[in-house]
Amino acid sequence: GAGVSQSPSNKVTEKGKDVELRCDPISGHTALYWYRQRLGQGLEFLIYFQGNSAPDKSGLPSDRFSAERTGESVSTLTIQRTQQEDSAVYLCASSLGLAGAGDTQYFGPGTRLTVL
Amino acid sequence: KNQVEQSPQSLIILEGKNCTLQCNYTVSPFSNLRWYKQDTGRGPVSLTIMTFSENTKSNGRYTATLDADTKQSSLHITASQLSDSASYICVVTSGGGGNKLTFGTGTQLKVEL
């Protein structure tokens, strides 16, 4: 497939457990973004990668959230000790260059996380 | 604080009718403004992107306008179709070498027969 893919599509976990969300960007895209979208709300920026580096982590809500990217390709978003307020759809997007410079972002279908 | 506000919050129109969605922003410095369409359960899809010097951009039945002086943008949908039912999101990028995108909360459009 040529698009951005994310896995799993749905994840139900118990409060206090750790979860890992995966994003496979479009091949060759240097920039990768993670967003959170709570029910009925707008997208909330979490972090973006340029290559394997994360110049802006300002959106990560707490130290329970971390992300990494390897091989300028796949990225994982890890949430430790999940809380109920972490329940949301986590969206990943990639762009050839930086979206800030005008490049188009292509979004994946998202991972719906439910913390019981 | 950078903010993007959209109106109306939701809108219902009959198939074939036109509609206009509004976006006001207080993002500085301004780099570009985008409109996205997000179908339920899917990721957003880019419709248009405009820089400071552009005041209109079309993509099929979608036409976006930008007034950088008043910091307002609109998205006009012509001859609406049932498949236009979605959330339309206004996104403003701040410049100055950053890569920060500020998302509006969207306008939920429903097109009915």
Side-chain angles (χ1 to χ4, degrees), chain A residues 40-55:
Chain A
Q41 298 188 23
L43 274 73
E44 177 187 357
F45 169 80
L46 297 178
I47 186 172
Y48 90 91
F49 290 89
Q50 189 172 351
N52 293 331
S53 302

Side-chain angles (χ1 to χ4, degrees), chain A residues 31 33 35 37 40-45 48 56 58 91 98-110 112, chain B residues 9 31-32 34 36 38 41-46 49 89 91 93-95 97-106:
Chain A
Y33 313 78
Y35 296 94
Q37 187 172 30
Q41 298 188 23
L43 274 73
E44 177 187 357
F45 169 80
Y48 90 91
D56 189 349
S58 63
L91 288 159
L98 291 177
D103 279 38
T104 299
Q105 288 182 308
Y106 296 87
F107 281 81
R112 181 175 297 278
Chain B
Q9 189 173 16
S31 178
N32 56 65
R34 309 155 191 260
Y36 285 92
Q38 185 175 22
R42 310 282 290 273
V45 173
S46 180
I49 179 170
I89 305 169
V91 185
T93 305
S94 56
N99 196 40
K100 185 70 63 78
L101 280 69
T102 303
F103 286 72
T105 54

Side-chain angles (χ1 to χ4, degrees), chain A residues 83-101:
Chain A
Q83 304 293 315
Q84 288 183 332
E85 65 261 26
D86 298 334
S87 296
V89 175
Y90 290 82
L91 288 159
C92 174
S94 71
S95 56
L96 187 61
L98 291 177

